[in-house]
Amino acid sequence: MLRTRPETAAWRANVARVGFVPTMGALHAGHLSLVERAKRETDAPVVSIFVNPTQFGPNEDFTKYPRQEAKDLATLEAAGVAAAFVPSVEEMYPPGDRMRIEPGEIAEALEGAARPGHFAGVATVVAKLFEIVRPDVAYFGQKDFQQLRVIQTMARERYPAIKVVGCPIVREEDGLAMSSRNAYLAPAERAAARVLSRGLFTARSAWSRGERHPERLRARVEEVVETEPGVAPEYVSVADPLTLVELKLPANRAVISLAARVGKTRLIDNVLLGMEVSDLK
Ligand code: AMP
């Protein structure tokens, strides 16, 4: 396990093509799908585990976010990952550190609007991690679709040598997108949360039958989600997958994303229509 920047630099010096999977830990099959892809496509995967304080708002779940370092390290070892970078907060944010990345327009809507400062925190920590790990390829999940676009935009501008690859959402059997935050759900909440993916899949079916109108696609999602009183939607968005600008007119590709509260837990999910996540650069 690597704890410090110098340890990581020394490890990096001995690997030709590095594939990087940044995570906040509490690892599940979604994370491991990124790891498997990194293993296939590069010489060695490195997984970081760091619950990044700067991407949490003051009233969010930073302190209670699930932390299970020993279990995660065993999971990574079983997955054949030799290198885990597990820095302390001080290692990532040393005293006097002033580095901060402003992610720009792509970060303004949706999660950026709901969570002020969130993507500045994400972009800043990922930039720091990129500079420490110096990966050739970095793998991000479609689950956090806007995050993927924020990082791809940042990488294009600041780290053009790093390829940022989007990987499809891994779901539970009933459709719920895997997330470390699912662990917060009580059994009844876990059952209710199913309507999120069901709503998205209903819109996806409408799309596959030819529906392209953004308002009607949004309505299909909302109809399903509204059947579940235990779920309070925050937004349902039908946007251009490249810019995340809301669609006003029918288009030949779209991302439908949503955020909702299930009890105290805030969940997000999305479906990409008319294109594959791996087409995004
Ligand atoms: P996190 O630990 O939640 O910050 O996630 C680390 C990485 O795993 C991010 O790139 C996420 O988008 C990705 N990820 C999280 N959940 C899933 C999932 N269900 N399927 C695919 N990727 C995921």
Side-chain angles (χ1 to χ4, degrees):
M1 197 220 320
L2 309 161
R3 288 274 186 205
T4 66
R5 293 169 187 244
E7 281 166 3
T8 308
W11 172 85
R12 172 66 192 96
N14 293 312
V15 182
R17 255 176 87 71
V18 168
F20 179 38
V21 180
T23 82
M24 299 204 299
L27 299 178
H28 52 65
H31 297 116
L32 294 180
S33 73
L34 275 51
V35 168
E36 288 307 318
R37 180 105 185 245
K39 279 174 69 180
R40 282 201 303 277
E41 297 182 354
T42 64
D43 297 318
V46 54
V47 176
S48 63
I49 298 175
F50 182 62
V51 184
N52 173 38
T54 66
Q55 72 188 69
F56 288 80
N59 299 314
E60 294 183 1
D61 55 346
F62 174 68
T63 49
K64 73 164 193 175
Y65 195 83
R67 288 166 173 84
Q68 45 174 56
E69 185 182 305
K71 186 171 172 212
D72 285 345
L73 291 173
T75 300
L76 291 176
E77 197 172 334
V81 175
F85 179 45
V86 191
S88 64
V89 171
E90 294 69 37
E91 189 69 27
M92 294 306 291
Y93 296 100
D97 168 74
R98 290 176 162 279
M99 177 173 169
R100 188 180 160 90
I101 307 284
E102 273 307 329
E105 228 173 320
I106 190 83
E108 279 167 19
L110 306 173
E111 289 302 283
R115 305 180 66 188
H118 170 66
F119 286 122
V122 169
T124 299
V125 80
V126 171
K128 284 168 171 276
L129 290 166
F130 278 3
E131 290 176 19
I132 296 168
V133 172
R134 294 190 297 108
D136 297 275
V137 192
Y139 298 86
F140 287 81
Q142 180 194 326
K143 164 74 179 15
D144 301 278
F145 188 81
Q146 190 176 14
Q147 168 174 281
L148 169 67
R149 296 301 298 139
V150 165
I151 301 301
Q152 287 183 320
T153 305
M154 176 183 81
R156 207 166 47 235
E157 287 168 10
R158 301 177 64 107
Y159 305 100
I162 302 176
K163 188 172 156 196
V164 177
V165 172
C167 303
I169 301 175
V170 177
R171 298 179 178 282
E172 302 286 356
E173 229 162 80
D174 67 356
L176 180 68
M178 288 193 184
S179 164
S180 305
R181 289 191 168 98
N182 293 350
Y184 299 149
L185 300 172
E189 295 172 338
R190 170 65 188 81
R194 235 193 106 198
V195 290
L196 301 177
S197 56
R198 260 189 37 221
L200 291 169
F201 295 165
T202 302
R204 184 170 66 189
S205 302
W207 175 278
S208 68
R209 290 193 304 273
E211 179 64 84
R212 293 291 180 274
H213 201 282
E215 274 312 318
R216 288 199 287 268
L217 289 164
R218 189 201 329 276
R220 299 317 298 270
V221 180
E222 286 171 347
E223 276 157 29
V224 176
V225 174
E226 282 163 10
T227 62
E228 179 46 76
V231 172
E234 237 177 56
Y235 63 76
V236 178
S237 150
V238 183
D240 179 290
L242 302 187
T243 62
L244 294 174
V245 173
E246 289 299 302
L247 293 173
K248 300 275 178 248
L249 298 170
N252 57 12
R253 57 190 183 197
V255 59
I256 308 184
S257 42
L258 57 76
R261 297 250 170 214
V262 184
K264 288 196 168 76
T265 304
R266 188 172 181 281
L267 299 178
I268 58 171
D269 197 356
N270 67 82
V271 287
L272 189 55
L273 304 171
M275 70 183 300
E276 301 294 323
V277 69
S278 54
D279 298 336
L280 288 161
K281 304 218 156 45

